[in-house]
Amino acid sequence: MMVSYRLYWTLWILSCFGQYLGQDLQIHEPPNKEEGDIVVFTLDNPPPSTSILITQWFFGTLLIITVASGVTTENPAYKDRASVNSNTLALTLLNLRHSDSGIYRLSVTTSAGETLTGETSLQVEKLSVSLIGPEEPLIEGESSANITSEGNGNITSVQWMKNNSSLSPSNSIIFSPDFRSVSISPVQRSDSGEYQCIYTNPFNSETATYSLIINYGPEGVSIKGQDVVDLGVRVSLSCSANSVPSASFRWMFNGTDTGVTTDTFTIDKTDFTHSGDYDCTAWNNVTNRSATQRHALLVKAGGGGGGLSTGAIVGIVIGVLVAVAAICGLIVYLIKTKKMPKLTLPQNGRSSGAAAQRRQEPDLNYADISHFQKGSGERVILGNRGEPNTEYAEVKRSGTKSTAPPPPYGSQVSNPPLRRDLQLLLSPQEDGGHV
């Protein structure tokens, strides 16, 4: 009878307290939380508060809070964030952070000297953000771009930036009402760059980036190189263009494909057949656009491309000076030896050809010499009266200019021979002689 009573008592004690003796405490595992949230760790089978001497909550090995004999002691790192219910032993944490993710453990010391433990875990979602942009190539003036942000965590603000500067709305840049996406239409080359979306909450901030590339061109095609070159020299023509992505090049000469597909066209040694038009065509394989520039090249004879040397130029100059000096010396010699008449220039500045001719020619008078008249009035007949032709002779009168016109062509006798009797008549000693 006594044995039966003792067995019954033992079974009753085990039914009441056996679940706490050496057994783990059962703690609910809370759902995932976000930064800034609150979490409460509760127990399924809390021991009677009358049997508890010390309650301790740990995060990993770090002591969060201790309750002993009704006195609560907090770790300074959890000040104003952690609290324990003395009846249920539940732990409450405020303003969760991503760093609060991990294992939490409870230790309870009973009045019987037993230690009860339990543990659970917490996952606090980290604030995160990512950007999704267009996958197809964007062409300037034709395409539109949409950039959308996606993220987790407690998001209190969203900010957009481009190349580390704030991105503002405009006629071509439009934000969604929740500010989670941005649309650009149509895209321009100035829209190229790194776009940033920043998610923020009171405890953290995260940034995502997306590089936007706008394809354009080619445009502004130019060819650098000489226009005129000597024969037998090396020539290089360089072609360039503004293009994204970089353009490919093709060269043509006088309308014929040269097969050169680089940005530089090189002629190792020029000859006259290299003169002509060189066309450089730039092509963008993304925009499917092309542009062409022409360059005219002239190959001239230049002594193998070296030109005249300094010595040759000096020799030519000296030769020209010697030739000029020789000509001047010859002219002076001819004048001094009277083999070249001197030119008499007018002194009064008159430029009339008639006046100059009159100054250079002697004054001439013309007279009919077929008869003369003496001072007494008697007429002297010369020559044959039967001859119908009248002969004229030039008679110079000193100091008096001739005003008589010359006789008709054929009636003049140049340097007519005067007979002795005519000379006497023309002599100033002859009495009353006159013409």
Side-chain angles (χ1 to χ4, degrees):
M1 183 68 177
M2 184 65 69
V3 175
S4 298
Y5 176 77
R6 291 178 178 178
L7 179 61
Y8 174 77
W9 177 252
T10 301
L11 293 174
W12 182 82
I13 293 175
L14 290 175
S15 64
C16 294
F17 300 99
Q19 57 181 330
Y20 305 110
L21 298 178
Q23 295 185 10
D24 291 339
L25 300 174
Q26 303 298 317
I27 305 173
H28 285 295
E29 182 175 337
N32 291 349
K33 298 293 183 177
E34 295 179 351
E35 290 182 314
D37 286 349
I38 299 174
V39 66
V40 178
F41 298 99
T42 60
L43 283 72
D44 288 339
N45 55 342
S49 58
T50 56
S51 64
I52 299 174
L53 293 179
I54 301 173
T55 301
Q56 294 178 310
W57 279 94
F58 294 85
F59 174 57
T61 59
L62 178 66
L63 179 62
I64 299 175
I65 191 169
T66 299
V67 178
S69 302
V71 178
T72 301
T73 305
E74 292 178 337
N75 186 321
Y78 288 87
K79 185 176 178 57
D80 299 328
R81 290 186 60 210
S83 63
V84 174
N85 187 309
S86 59
N87 293 322
T88 64
L89 306 183
L91 172 67
T92 301
L93 287 180
L94 306 177
N95 298 327
L96 291 176
R97 305 165 185 172
H98 177 67
S99 59
D100 291 328
S101 297
I103 302 299
Y104 288 80
R105 186 170 58 88
L106 170 63
S107 176
V108 176
T109 301
T110 67
S111 57
E114 298 292 337
T115 300
L116 306 177
T117 61
E119 68 178 33
T120 187
S121 63
L122 173 66
Q123 180 62 43
V124 181
E125 292 184 356
K126 181 181 179 180
L127 181 65
S128 62
V129 58
S130 61
L131 292 179
I132 301 174
E135 297 180 357
E136 70 279 0
L138 301 176
I139 299 177
E140 182 181 38
E142 298 181 5
S143 305
S144 298
N146 292 307
I147 306 176
T148 302
S149 66
E150 294 182 350
N152 296 316
N154 181 23
I155 304 169
T156 58
S157 68
V158 180
Q159 182 183 8
W160 288 89
M161 303 184 74
K162 176 192 173 187
N163 297 332
N164 297 319
S165 297
S166 179
L167 182 64
S168 302
S170 65
N171 292 334
S172 61
I173 300 176
I174 301 174
F175 292 98
S176 63
D178 61 359
F179 225 58
R180 298 292 182 93
S181 64
V182 60
S183 176
I184 306 174
S185 179
V187 294
Q188 303 296 330
R189 69 187 65 182
S190 58
D191 295 322
S192 295
E194 186 176 76
Y195 289 78
Q196 300 146 323
C197 182
I198 305 172
Y199 280 10
T200 305
N201 61 30
F203 316 102
N204 200 0
S205 66
E206 291 294 326
T207 302
T209 61
Y210 183 87
S211 293
L212 199 64
I213 299 175
I214 310 302
N215 301 280
Y216 63 88
E219 57 188 36
V221 181
S222 64
I223 300 177
K224 293 183 179 180
Q226 295 175 284
D227 298 327
V228 180
V229 297
D230 291 330
L231 189 66
V233 300
R234 180 183 175 88
V235 175
S236 291
L237 302 178
S238 178
C239 187
S240 62
N242 297 325
S243 178
V244 172
S246 298
S248 59
F249 300 96
R250 180 169 58 92
W251 289 87
M252 299 186 71
F253 173 60
N254 290 336
T256 302
D257 192 355
T258 63
V260 177
T261 57
T262 61
D263 61 347
T264 302
F265 187 93
T266 302
I267 304 172
D268 291 329
K269 188 175 183 180
T270 57
D271 58 44
F272 293 119
T273 62
H274 292 129
S275 294
D277 295 328
Y278 291 82
D279 295 328
C280 174
T281 300
W283 181 64
N284 186 320
N285 63 348
V286 175
T287 64
N288 201 27
R289 299 171 183 171
S290 63
T292 301
Q293 179 64 36
R294 173 166 293 181
H295 181 87
L297 180 66
L298 175 62
V299 179
K300 65 180 182 64
L308 292 176
S309 64
T310 303
I313 295 175
V314 172
I316 292 174
V317 172
I318 293 175
V320 171
L321 294 177
V322 170
V324 172
I327 293 173
C328 294
L330 179 61
I331 292 174
V332 172
Y333 169 77
L334 294 176
I335 291 175
K336 288 185 176 181
T337 58
K338 298 183 179 181
K339 293 182 179 181
M340 178 180 290
K342 294 183 179 179
L343 297 179
T344 304
L345 298 177
Q347 298 179 357
N348 57 3
R350 295 179 182 177
S351 60
S352 172
Q357 183 177 3
R358 285 196 299 269
R359 286 194 299 270
Q360 294 177 8
E361 294 178 356
D363 295 332
L364 299 177
N365 289 284
Y366 295 87
D368 185 352
I369 60 174
S370 61
H371 62 274
F372 286 87
Q373 185 178 16
K374 294 184 177 181
S376 60
E378 184 180 357
R379 192 173 184 180
V380 179
I381 303 300
L382 300 176
N384 187 358
R385 292 178 176 269
E387 294 180 359
N389 293 332
T390 302
E391 295 181 349
Y392 290 85
E394 296 176 354
V395 179
K396 182 176 181 181
R397 301 177 62 185
S398 176
T400 304
K401 295 182 180 180
S402 174
T403 59
Y409 181 79
S411 62
Q412 301 179 21
V413 178
S414 63
N415 299 324
L418 297 180
R419 293 189 299 272
R420 177 62 179 170
D421 53 350
L422 179 58
Q423 294 178 358
L424 293 175
L425 289 174
L426 295 177
S427 176
Q429 285 83 11
E430 205 54 60
D431 294 336
H434 66 278
V435 177

